[in-house]
């Protein structure tokens, strides 16, 4: 039994997509924290 | 039997070397004559004997076959490195030999290394998987139940 | 490049260091860290040289399951999230994970715990110092000794000047660089190769890597997961972040960090699987990640990869330096040797310990022994055996000191036996299994009745 080609591709693309979302969220959170002066 | 093939191939290397000494030096595997792996990966390394003069543009050719006579061999590496890493191998015996190649000259083949791939039994793997799943489930349970109890 | 990065981090360290006037500031960044910094620091610290180097190695050795197995380490962060909140509630004035074990279980368990903790912190530090040297060598041709020395020196300097402020501040920048860098490299790789061809090549040349039932990787999955949970649960690296975050932030920050971390091993690891279809020879599996990135993307790729690796190393080395020195200063120097030490004395001791740790790591890294995985996996059963003393200790009144002590001792010993008898991929699993059985048995048969108020030392003392 083998992992299918589409699983292989989706796994990799999903990982890259999730990482991009992560990077964007970090920046958004930074801006929010700076606005509310709750950085530290 | 393995010993015999080793001796035979050693003899071949030796004779080959003495009969036409201008030839390229043969590489020799650094692995044991017989290697076992139960995870399907192994590193094959080779070297030239210390007194061999390395030739410019010399490359190594690594062959793999599923029989010790190398009928229908596959060239799995051709290049200047002194090792290659194999992985994802299925169960079975794989025979390997390596030689030096420079333009149209070839050295003799190295002694053969057989890699015996015997993956762990699936029963053992699934047992450990099951045990792991159980321990993990309990861990999650302890944390969730703990949070609930504290909040209550 | 290396010098430039080094200077930037040290300057940032000095800049943020000016905030760190008190001991709370130096050790715990003022206990008021917000969501953005909190999430980023947890995520960046968990992205280590192991994520960026060992994940490709896992992919190459153990295939698709190998990458997924590595990803499961994110559960360490997910499960620690509720713990972070509980820790902050129970011990608003706590400093280290050692404090917790001492207050909760007393001296014997504390000593064993410190032993495990410091051994783990130190092996992690060494494995990363070595990884740093090896990487600099592979990527930029810098001699091993110089690369290793440089990265350790930079991290020691900025941790020394800025304390946890510098560590967390640089972690934010580093985590952005890591995430963007990996995405850029990943997208560029997908652009320049054909995934379909990669798959077909794997299917014929390395079929077991795509096999759903590859036994070695099935075994690795939960072993890796439990190792990850053990690392996060016990290590002061994570506890000090829980203490440092503002109240109400910890749980969300750790959960988000888990989600951001989850894809990293896959995004960084799949590159290794393209080696076959591109005809690139791998001579040593622990170098497959950087080798492939350099080969596919050329010079620009090598520069990005260099920066990403540097950040992933620095973000963990700094955290370990800070957290391990906290553990030594707070738990050993203050609690064992010199109770009632002044803040000034502690601050100076911290500086000495950070420098000392740096030098010690440097000395051990210099001869370059052993492969990366083996050094660290040795700590697997040890940390896995601390999971349940920590988890039940935080939530169950009935968890007892004897249970914790025996769970750690027997879990470690039996786990280590499994390591040598059955292989590294069983060690953490066996260690955790023994630990859970011992902890729960003691809690049920000889329950303690712990008073949670004892956890808050600031109240107990006044």
């Amino acid at each position: 039994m083998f992992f299918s080609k589409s699983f292989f591709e989706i796994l990799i693309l999903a990982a890259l997509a999730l990482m991009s979302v992560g990077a964007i969220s970090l920046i958004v959170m930074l801006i929010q924290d700076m606005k509310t002066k709750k950085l530290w | 039997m393995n010993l015999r093939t080793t001796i035979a191939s050693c003899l071949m290397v030796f004779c080959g070397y003495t009969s036409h000494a201008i030839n390229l030096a043969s590489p020799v595997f650094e692995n044991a004559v017989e290697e076992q792996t139960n995870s399907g990966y192994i590193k094959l390394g080779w070297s030239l004997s210390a007194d061999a003069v390395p030739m410019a543009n010399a490359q190594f050719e690594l062959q793999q076959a599923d029989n010790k006579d190398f009928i229908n061999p596959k060239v799995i590496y051709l290049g200047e490195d002194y090792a290659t890493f194999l992985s994802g191998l299925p169960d079975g015996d794989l025979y390997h030999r390596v030689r030096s190649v420079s333009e149209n000259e070839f050295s003799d083949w190295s002694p053969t290394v057989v890699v015996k791939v015997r993956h762990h039994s699936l029963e053992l793997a699934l047992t450990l998987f099951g045990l792991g799943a159980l321990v993990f489930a309990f861990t999650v349970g302890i944390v969730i139940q703990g949070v609930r109890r504290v909040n209550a | 490049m290396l010098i430039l990065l080094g200077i930037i981090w040290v300057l940032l360290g000095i800049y943020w260091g000016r905030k760190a006037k008190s001991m709370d500031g130096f050790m715990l960044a003022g206990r008021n860290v917000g969501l953005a910094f909190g999430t980023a620091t947890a995520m960046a610290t968990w992205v280590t040289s192991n994520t960026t180097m060992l994940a490709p190695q896992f992919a190459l050795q153990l295939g698709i399951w190998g990458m997924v197995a590595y990803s499961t380490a994110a559960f360490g962060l997910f499960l620690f999230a509720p713990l972070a909140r509980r820790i902050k509630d129970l011990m608003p004035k706590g400093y280290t994970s050692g404090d917790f074990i001492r207050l909760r279980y007393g001296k014997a368990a504390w000593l064993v715990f410190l032993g495990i903790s410091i051994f783990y912190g130190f092996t992690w530090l060494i494995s990363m110092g070595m990884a740093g040297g090896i990487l600099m060598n592979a990527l930029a041709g810098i001699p091993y000794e110089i690369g290793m020395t440089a990265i350790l020196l930079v991290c020691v300097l900025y941790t020394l000047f800025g304390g946890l402020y510098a560590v967390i501040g640089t972690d934010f920048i580093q985590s952005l660089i890591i995430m963007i860098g990996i995405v850029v490299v990943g997208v560029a790789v997908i652009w320049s190769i054909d995934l379909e061809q990669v798959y077909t090549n794997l299917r014929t040349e390395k079929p077991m890597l795509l096999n759903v039932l590859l036994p070695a990787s099935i075994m690795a999955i939960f072993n890796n997961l439990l190792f990850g949970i053990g690392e996060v649960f016990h290590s002061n690296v994570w506890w000090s972040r829980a203490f440092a975050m503002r109240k109400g932030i910890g749980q969300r920050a750790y959960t988000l960090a888990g989600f951001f971390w989850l894809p990293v091993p896959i995004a960084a690891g799949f590159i290794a699987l393209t080696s076959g279809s591109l005809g690139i020879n791998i001579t040593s599996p622990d170098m497959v990640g950087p080798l492939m990135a350099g080969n596919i993307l050329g010079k620009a790729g090598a520069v990005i990869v260099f920066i990403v690796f540097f950040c992933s190393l620095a973000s963990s080395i700094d955290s370990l330096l800070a957290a391990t020195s906290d553990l030594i200063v707070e738990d050993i120097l203050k609690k064992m040797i010199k109770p009632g030490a002044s803040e000034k004395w502690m601050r100076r001791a911290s500086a000495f310990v950070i420098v000392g740790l740096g030098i010690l790591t440097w000395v051990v890294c210099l001869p370059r022994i052993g492969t990366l995985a083996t050094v660290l996996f040795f700590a697997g059963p040890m940390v896995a055996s601390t999971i349940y003393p920590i988890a039940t200790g935080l939530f169950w009144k009935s968890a007892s000191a004897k249970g914790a002590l025996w769970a750690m001792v027997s879990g470690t010993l039996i786990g280590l036996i499994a390591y040598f008898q059955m292989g590294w991929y069983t060690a953490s699993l066996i260690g955790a299994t023994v630990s859970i059985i011992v902890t729960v048995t003691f809690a049920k048969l000889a329950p303690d009745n712990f008073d949670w108020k004892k956890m808050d030392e600031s109240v107990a003392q006044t």
Side-chain angles (χ1 to χ4, degrees):
Chain A
M1 200 165 39
F2 292 91
F3 286 107
S4 71
K5 192 171 354 189
S6 47
F7 178 83
F8 177 66
E9 288 171 347
I10 291 170
L11 184 73
I12 292 165
L13 294 176
L16 288 171
L18 186 54
M19 284 198 66
S20 327
V21 172
I24 295 165
S25 325
L26 268 189
I27 297 172
V28 172
M29 290 192 307
L30 179 77
I31 295 169
Q32 272 177 352
D33 275 0
M34 287 208 299
K35 267 190 194 154
T36 51
K37 303 220 156 148
K38 281 185 171 168
L39 220 45
W40 27 34
Chain B
M1 192 196 76
N2 266 305
L3 188 66
R4 208 186 306 158
T5 50
T6 323
I7 295 170
S9 34
C10 281
L11 273 174
M12 275 160 56
V13 171
F14 185 71
C15 298
Y17 192 77
T18 47
S19 59
H20 31 93
I22 31 153
N23 269 9
L24 292 169
S26 286
V28 179
F29 281 112
E30 284 166 348
N31 301 72
V33 180
E34 186 181 318
E35 292 272 8
Q36 277 259 6
T37 167
N38 44 26
S39 28
Y41 57 81
I42 190 165
K43 177 179 169 172
L44 291 177
W46 50 85
S47 58
L48 295 167
S49 64
D51 50 325
V53 186
M55 292 260 292
N57 344 315
Q59 292 190 316
F60 296 109
E61 178 186 359
L62 177 66
Q63 276 193 350
Q64 183 183 64
D66 57 8
N67 59 83
K68 66 178 189 308
D69 302 318
F70 286 89
I71 299 163
N72 290 327
K74 252 192 327 190
V75 177
I76 53 170
Y77 176 63
L78 180 65
E80 294 174 356
D81 293 339
Y82 284 78
T84 193
F85 184 77
L86 305 175
S87 66
L89 304 171
D91 274 349
D93 295 352
L94 289 167
Y95 297 82
H96 300 87
R97 59 182 183 182
V98 62
R99 66 176 173 183
S100 306
V101 181
S102 175
E103 305 196 352
N104 291 322
E105 282 191 89
F106 302 96
S107 76
D108 294 303
W109 287 107
S110 69
T112 304
V113 163
V114 57
V115 175
K116 299 193 166 215
V117 186
R118 304 282 183 275
H119 281 280
H120 289 288
S121 79
L122 207 52
E123 287 79 38
L124 173 67
L126 291 175
T127 310
L128 288 172
F129 183 87
L131 179 64
L134 200 67
V135 173
F136 175 58
F138 272 113
T139 313
V140 175
I142 288 172
V143 172
I144 291 178
Q145 178 235 25
V147 170
R148 285 222 183 119
R149 205 191 287 185
V150 170
N151 289 348
Chain C
M1 196 74 212
L2 174 66
I3 297 170
L4 189 73
L5 280 172
I7 292 173
I8 294 175
W9 298 139
V10 174
L11 286 180
L12 282 171
I14 296 173
Y15 169 71
W16 277 314
R18 291 185 310 183
K19 289 174 81 81
K21 292 203 179 64
S22 67
M23 203 57 201
D24 262 19
F26 189 77
M27 279 173 77
L28 297 169
R31 297 184 193 267
N32 208 23
V33 174
L35 187 61
F37 279 5
T39 307
T41 188
M43 134 98 200
T45 304
W46 207 210
V47 177
T48 66
S49 59
N50 287 324
T51 328
T52 40
M53 279 174 85
L54 209 58
Q57 182 180 344
F58 258 50
L60 185 68
Q61 292 176 333
L62 301 175
I64 302 241
W65 268 132
M67 296 194 289
V68 175
Y70 212 103
S71 278
T72 60
F75 279 94
L77 297 177
F78 288 139
L79 284 179
F80 191 71
L83 266 60
R85 180 169 162 192
R86 177 78 175 148
I87 289 166
K88 188 88 180 171
D89 286 345
L90 274 182
M91 309 169 66
K93 289 282 166 208
Y95 280 97
T96 65
S97 55
D99 277 341
F100 167 75
I101 296 287
R102 179 175 45 82
L103 293 167
R104 182 68 181 78
Y105 293 128
K107 198 158 183 183
W110 180 49
L111 288 174
V112 174
F113 179 82
L114 277 183
I116 291 176
S117 243
I118 290 173
F119 174 83
Y120 165 78
F122 194 59
T123 41
W124 195 11
L125 208 51
I126 291 165
S127 83
M128 275 188 306
M130 285 174 37
I134 295 173
L135 275 167
M136 305 273 167
N137 186 270
L139 291 172
I142 302 167
Y144 170 83
E145 291 79 11
I146 295 179
M148 189 266 295
T149 311
I151 193 153
L152 279 179
L153 186 70
V154 168
C155 292
V156 166
L157 281 179
Y158 76 72
T159 311
L160 187 64
F161 289 127
L164 199 63
Y165 273 118
V167 171
I168 291 180
T170 49
D171 274 0
F172 185 86
I173 304 171
Q174 285 156 353
S175 61
L176 271 185
I177 294 176
I178 291 168
M179 290 170 106
I180 295 170
I182 291 178
V183 170
V184 167
V185 171
V187 169
V189 167
I190 289 184
W191 208 263
S192 58
I193 55 158
D194 184 6
L195 272 188
E196 213 169 303
Q197 205 189 323
V198 171
Y199 182 87
T200 320
N201 174 275
L202 285 175
R203 193 72 173 73
T204 50
E205 302 295 327
K206 302 178 190 297
M208 290 307 277
L209 296 188
L210 295 172
N211 196 318
V212 179
L213 294 174
L214 173 57
S217 20
I218 294 179
M219 291 188 211
I221 293 173
F222 280 106
N223 188 69
N224 212 62
L225 195 156
L226 290 166
F227 189 4
I229 295 178
E231 288 182 86
V232 177
F233 273 29
H234 94 284
S235 172
N236 192 44
V237 167
W238 308 100
W239 283 71
S240 64
R241 276 165 180 67
F243 290 127
M245 286 179 211
R246 185 181 316 130
K247 207 169 158 61
I249 292 289
Q251 184 160 6
R252 261 192 303 159
Y254 273 102
T255 310
L256 282 173
F259 278 113
F260 296 167
W261 189 89
L262 187 69
V264 178
I266 295 169
F270 90 93
I271 300 173
L273 296 176
T274 62
S275 65
S277 74
L278 293 172
I280 294 169
N281 183 46
I282 305 299
T283 54
S284 170
D286 55 357
M287 287 311 300
V288 60
L291 186 76
M292 292 307 300
N295 258 304
I296 299 173
L297 304 173
K299 207 154 193 182
V303 171
I304 300 177
V305 170
F306 182 84
I307 297 173
V308 168
F309 278 125
F310 188 89
C311 290
S312 64
L313 280 165
S315 64
S316 311
I317 294 179
D318 62 6
S319 309
L320 269 167
L321 279 173
T324 312
S325 88
D326 286 357
L327 206 58
I328 293 172
V329 171
E330 164 77 13
D331 284 88
I332 296 181
L333 294 183
K334 189 178 171 194
K335 292 286 164 17
M336 283 186 204
I337 296 173
K338 195 171 174 175
S342 72
E343 233 178 60
K344 209 172 159 193
W345 187 90
M346 293 252 301
R347 176 73 195 257
R348 279 192 53 195
S350 280
F352 277 112
V353 172
I354 290 172
V355 174
L357 263 178
I359 293 174
L360 199 59
T361 310
W362 183 80
V363 169
V364 178
C365 283
L366 209 51
R368 193 180 173 175
I369 345 161
T371 63
L372 290 175
T374 31
V375 181
L376 201 68
F377 273 108
F378 209 66
M382 301 180 140
V383 301
S385 75
T386 63
I387 299 176
Y388 306 97
I390 298 262
T392 58
L394 277 167
F395 291 116
W396 296 4
K397 280 170 177 279
S398 58
S400 71
K402 275 207 179 103
L405 179 66
W406 288 113
M408 289 191 282
V409 172
S410 59
T412 298
L413 289 181
I414 298 175
L416 282 176
I417 292 172
Y419 181 105
F420 290 110
Q421 295 293 319
M422 297 162 76
W424 60 264
Y425 36 77
T426 58
S428 303
L429 174 58
I430 302 292
T433 310
V434 171
S435 163
I436 194 171
I437 293 171
V438 173
T439 314
V440 174
T441 309
F442 269 95
K444 296 289 174 211
L445 296 184
D448 194 1
N449 188 14
F450 188 76
D451 177 10
W452 294 122
K453 288 198 189 80
K454 283 189 203 156
M455 295 305 302
D456 190 356
E457 272 188 300
S458 58
V459 177
Q461 277 162 7
T462 47

